[in-house]
Amino acid sequence: MRSRSILSEPLQYLEGVGPKRAALLSRELGVEKIEDLLYLFPHRYEDRSTIVPIASIRDEGVNVQFMGKVKSAEVSSDRKRLTVIVEDESGSMELVFFKGLKYTLERLSPGSRFLFFGKPSSFQGRVNFVHPEIDAPPGPGQSIPTGVLTGVYPSTEALRNAGVTNKAMIKMVGAAIGVGLRDVVDPLPEYILKERGLVNIRTAIYNIHFPSDGNALFKATGRMKFQELFLLQLNLLKQKYIHSRNDKGFVMHSVGAPFHECYKSLPYDLTGAQKRVIKEIREDMQSGIQMNRLLQGDVGSGKTLVAVLSCLIAVGNGFQACIMAPTEVLARQHYANIRKYLAPTKVKAAILTGSSKSGERREIDEGLRSGEISIIVGTHALLEDKVVFRSLGLAVIDEQHRFGVEQRSRLWSKSPGGIPPHVLVMTATPIPRTLAMTLYGDLDVSVIDEMPPGRKPVRTIQIDESKRYALNKFIKSEIDSGRQIFVVYPLIFESEKSDLRNLEIGYENMVRAFPFPPYKVVAVHGQQPLEEKNFNMEAFAAGRAHILVSTTVIEVGVDVPNASVMVIENAERFGLSQLHQLRGRVGRGSDKSYCILVRGDKVGEEGKKRLDLLCSTEDGFVLSEEDMKMRGPGNMEGTQQSGLPVELNIASLTHDGPLLTDARNYAQKILDDDPQLKEEKNAPLLEELSRQKYHKEDFSKIS
Ligand code: ADP
Ligand code: MG
């Protein structure tokens, strides 16, 4: 019985721990039980197999080991600092200590020899060591005392201050292994170990902490990474299977007349990717199981059309459909586009937002209740209780991360007979494939990975303040040849702490540089009254204004094909995907387009890297991969709110992509044979998946 084993004993009973340390380890590292210590893996290893001559040591940011004789040891007059000089045949080295002066002074008596280990640092142009590790040198015939590869454990300042050094950690882990390893049950059945050529769990755990050589370590980490990714995917796929068995959906047999009417009158062909995705959606909608599909596609890839055609399938089968947008501006824009697509059909659409007038609103409520309105576009207003549908069959949600799970579930109650509508979530934030597989592993994901033909590449340029005059001249020439300009700022109002050129001042500067007439500059931001915002937005969309100064409210979806220049002020303040989204606002018409990144004077290394990267590619997926490498999967836009379904301990979504795919395929194979893991041979897997960590609250992102 796992729960009774020594593994679940609190850490304080472990030799060398005690209640004080146990509390500290729990607070600092979340390590509570003996088992937790077994799974607290080193985050790197030090190779202490070599001893280098002192003269060869440079400040290169890596740990080195050297051996030397103490020449002198001296405490400063304020008694705050101990300086020790050590020498070998090649030269001498300064060591500095700020703590434990008395003890260290006694130990490092002049003439004695030690092994020193640590990271060199530079002080006034010289290399020295601050608080190096000190070990007795190997005796005659002995090799170097510590193992060849020494694990370095996660640590914190509080731990170090309390004297919990890496050495102490190694000791504790060793003790935990001594008492607990034999109780560890392998979550992977024997047959999987054989098929995959994996070492068993006890060997893996032991060798991760105390590898005898690189090969043993490689096998151990390989096994643990596979296990982690495999179990994660097994869990997601199993949930997906349960969903597909239990969640009945409306059956939409045919494509229907409205679909064909719209399709036939399109002035262009669908892209291959659009066709493929529509086919996937069609199959879902006629399957009898509720669709839960995420549609990913870069800005401008033609998601709106896919959404409309999906709605028309619902309408053609006698159902209603809704399209929800995160903001009023976007809802209006969607509505305008959708009306164009619907023109050749007799399908009636309407829009409902927070600012719909009450008379209008009554009409819409009635139209939805009676079924006269087939497609409704709107904002959160659609979720209100008084909105009742006759037969809601499909809900399209644009930009999923702005809708909470609970809000989405309110749509369910709007469907007839308690059957939930099909759900299609669209996002223009490309997520790396590995992340999508993990975040949305229990959903179906469709990707539009092809742009409609005729999209011109956007030229992306970085400039700084010194080029302001040239920039304005360029903007003028663009406006004079009939184009429009976006200017985006990171902030709305000036804050005392910040030196950002903000929207308010920016707007004034633009008006001064581009006076009316002939130029017209409008501003749009989140703190404006809705009417003013819509009015200005429409002025720009209709071409009455030449320059739109805004915050990121225009980030998603806004479509003004005549706009050819996107100026982003203080571009380094934006995230990579956000910049990419903004850039996607131009390049939609047939003109040559530009994205101009105006750097602030305080760009950091990271910011510089982001801007360079953005200039180097227009592929949203490449950018999102890079973004993930720079910031880690947990900090990506679009994942921050939902978080990863299970925290990864050893595998990395950034580095272990191929292994993840492999693990997922293998998990699928196991489930194909035994969907509920009922077979005796899979009992360990079922037992493992019943553990707490696989059952987070907000597990499924859509339904
Ligand atoms: P998204 O919503 O993915 O950002 P949109 O649906 O707004 O993209 O489409 C961007 C532009 O491309 C729109 O002007 C749309 O009319 C056009 N478009 C969509 N599909 C195609 C296609 N297959 N061929 C040519 N143009 C297309
Ligand atoms: Mg769109």
Side-chain angles (χ1 to χ4, degrees), residues 71-95:
K71 194 174 162 205
S72 67
E74 209 174 302
V75 176
S76 63
S77 53
D78 60 4
R79 311 209 53 85
K80 285 201 170 138
R81 167 191 172 100
L82 167 67
T83 306
V84 178
I85 306 293
V86 172
E87 58 183 5
D88 67 4
E89 296 76 32
S90 73
S92 66
M93 179 60 68
E94 182 186 83
L95 318 179

Side-chain angles (χ1 to χ4, degrees), residues 336-551:
N337 286 333
I338 286 161
R339 292 246 314 221
K340 272 187 243 154
Y341 287 126
L342 293 184
T345 72
K346 287 188 260 343
V347 173
K348 188 165 154 78
I351 178 165
L352 180 68
T353 70
S355 62
S356 300
K357 303 271 178 303
S358 59
E360 217 181 322
R361 173 129 207 181
R362 214 168 311 122
E363 229 171 87
I364 290 170
D365 286 342
E366 248 157 58
L368 289 175
R369 216 180 284 262
S370 70
E372 194 205 335
I373 297 172
S374 296
I375 300 178
I376 181 90
V377 181
T379 54
H380 287 76
L382 285 174
L383 296 172
E384 287 168 25
D385 287 337
K386 55 185 168 189
V387 179
V388 177
F389 291 83
R390 191 179 66 87
S391 58
L392 181 64
L394 169 69
V396 178
I397 302 172
D398 197 5
E399 293 300 326
Q400 95 286 2
H401 51 277
R402 306 201 184 187
F403 278 109
V405 174
E406 180 223 345
Q407 288 172 315
R408 279 179 231 129
S409 69
R410 285 168 68 176
L411 272 177
W412 277 212
S413 53
K414 299 184 182 300
S415 271
I419 296 183
H422 294 300
V423 178
L424 179 68
V425 176
M426 305 197 290
T427 176
T429 312
I431 300 168
R433 224 170 46 88
T434 54
L435 191 56
M437 247 191 249
T438 307
L439 269 182
Y440 306 112
D442 51 343
L443 303 179
D444 297 300
V445 179
S446 293
V447 180
I448 308 187
D449 50 5
E450 183 185 352
M451 284 291 181
R455 244 188 102 88
K456 294 272 175 349
V458 179
R459 225 179 124 201
T460 308
I461 308 160
Q462 294 181 56
I463 62 168
D464 59 22
E465 199 51 44
S466 68
K467 297 270 165 41
R468 178 71 62 187
Y469 180 75
L471 173 62
N472 284 349
K473 224 170 102 183
F474 172 69
I475 292 177
K476 228 165 235 172
S477 75
E478 284 289 299
I479 295 177
D480 291 346
S481 52
R483 315 280 171 258
Q484 291 167 279
I485 319 293
F486 286 111
V487 183
V488 178
Y489 286 87
L491 283 186
I492 305 175
F493 298 107
E494 190 155 25
S495 74
E496 278 178 346
K497 280 192 220 114
S498 131
D499 58 352
L500 297 180
R501 291 180 292 277
N502 55 75
L503 181 124
E504 222 180 25
I505 291 176
Y507 174 70
E508 279 164 22
N509 288 343
M510 287 312 265
V511 171
R512 215 169 299 131
F514 299 90
F516 178 81
Y519 301 106
K520 174 101 182 114
V521 185
V522 290
V524 165
H525 58 79
Q527 293 182 16
Q528 234 163 6
L530 214 55
E531 272 168 33
E532 192 180 331
K533 188 155 98 183
N534 291 339
F535 183 83
N536 287 343
M537 200 58 234
E538 272 155 31
F540 188 69
R544 290 192 300 275
H546 306 104
I547 300 177
L548 177 73
V549 177
S550 77
T551 53

Side-chain angles (χ1 to χ4, degrees), residues 299-300 303-304 330 334 337 398 426 556-558 585 588:
V299 210
K303 292 185 295 296
T304 311
L330 272 172
H334 268 320
N337 286 333
D398 197 5
M426 305 197 290
V556 266
V558 175
R585 300 293 113 219
R588 310 195 135 206

Side-chain angles (χ1 to χ4, degrees), residues 228-294:
E228 191 164 77
L229 296 171
F230 168 73
L231 291 170
L232 173 63
Q233 293 299 326
L234 190 70
N235 187 50
L236 288 167
L237 291 171
K238 189 161 167 279
Q239 302 212 0
K240 189 170 158 186
Y241 173 80
I242 292 168
H243 165 79
S244 74
R245 275 182 37 127
N246 297 342
D247 294 2
K248 275 207 339 222
F250 299 115
V251 184
M252 305 191 180
H253 287 290
S254 58
V255 173
F259 181 99
H260 284 299
E261 285 158 9
C262 171
Y263 192 96
K264 270 196 316 231
S265 56
L266 287 173
Y268 41 71
D269 256 350
L270 294 188
T271 63
Q274 282 171 318
K275 283 184 188 157
R276 189 189 68 235
V277 166
I278 286 172
K279 190 161 163 266
E280 287 164 355
I281 292 170
R282 237 201 94 186
E283 278 165 9
D284 282 1
M285 289 170 75
Q286 62 186 352
S287 72
I289 296 156
Q290 186 217 12
M291 172 168 78
N292 257 290
R293 191 169 279 279
L294 177 75

Side-chain angles (χ1 to χ4, degrees), residues 210-234:
F210 302 109
S212 52
D213 57 37
N215 190 36
L217 176 61
F218 182 75
K219 281 197 177 138
T221 52
R223 143 135 203 169
M224 295 314 294
K225 282 181 181 184
F226 177 82
Q227 167 179 331
E228 191 164 77
L229 296 171
F230 168 73
L231 291 170
L232 173 63
Q233 293 299 326
L234 190 70

Side-chain angles (χ1 to χ4, degrees), residues 679-697:
E679 283 177 38
E680 182 59 35
K681 64 171 183 180
N682 287 325
L685 294 173
L686 199 62
E687 161 86 22
E688 176 66 20
L689 292 192
S690 72
R691 299 183 86 180
Q692 186 62 32
K693 67 173 177 179
Y694 296 100
H695 299 275
K696 273 205 192 167
E697 273 296 310

